[in-house]
Amino acid sequence: MRTTSVEVGFHFCGRQPILAMVALLLAAVGLYAVIAHSISQRVKEIGVRMAIGATQADIRQMILREGMFPVLFGMAFGLAAALAVNNIFRSQLVGISPYDPVSMAGAAIALILIAVLACLVPARRALSIDPATALRHD
């Protein structure tokens, strides 16, 4: 016979991967939206940079740097917060340790990869901008 906490944990455990994927998808969509909006607001600046000689690698590097800084800052803050509140959620974690380095590293790597992809898509779009058209953009 199972206790109530084990039974609740057992039923919740089956939904964890789905909830994790939904959270990851929301993070990816939100990050892409913020970066795409930021770049769309800077079309003229990107056009000027390209017109005065910035290479595509320079523009891509600028977008990646500006997109990844908040992500890495947020990950550092999130990791610190996760480690701080692990004891509170210890009873809710079924089958893993609250300080499981594999789970934390896996989540961090997945978020970094998603963030890089979320930066590269708007960067690719920004690189296709014709400098003359961008300078005329309102």
Side-chain angles (χ1 to χ4, degrees):
M1 179 169 196
R2 295 183 198 156
T3 63
T4 307
S5 64
V6 172
E7 189 172 309
V8 170
F10 180 74
H11 290 295
F12 182 71
C13 187
R15 294 186 185 107
Q16 279 180 329
I18 295 170
L19 293 174
M21 294 303 272
V22 168
L24 200 56
L25 179 66
L26 286 173
V29 170
L31 184 62
Y32 171 77
V34 168
I35 293 170
H37 178 72
S38 170
I39 290 172
S40 72
Q41 297 294 314
R42 299 172 62 189
V43 169
K44 246 184 179 175
E45 176 195 343
I46 292 170
V48 168
R49 286 178 185 267
M50 291 174 71
I52 62 173
T55 63
Q56 288 189 352
D58 293 334
I59 302 294
R60 187 179 304 114
Q61 182 181 14
M62 176 188 72
I63 293 170
L64 277 171
R65 183 179 53 245
E66 291 175 5
M68 291 303 292
F69 178 75
V71 170
L72 295 176
F73 179 76
M75 287 183 71
F77 181 76
L79 179 62
L83 292 173
V85 299
N86 264 342
N87 288 331
I88 296 170
F89 296 110
R90 182 181 299 270
S91 64
Q92 309 237 335
L93 297 173
V94 178
I96 63 169
S97 163
Y99 300 104
D100 185 25
V102 174
S103 297
M104 288 189 182
I109 289 169
L111 281 175
I112 288 173
L113 291 175
I114 286 174
V116 167
L117 288 175
C119 289
L120 287 178
V121 172
R124 185 172 164 225
R125 187 175 301 145
L127 292 174
S128 67
I129 296 171
D130 179 40
T133 305
L135 293 173
R136 286 189 294 263
H137 187 264
D138 288 331

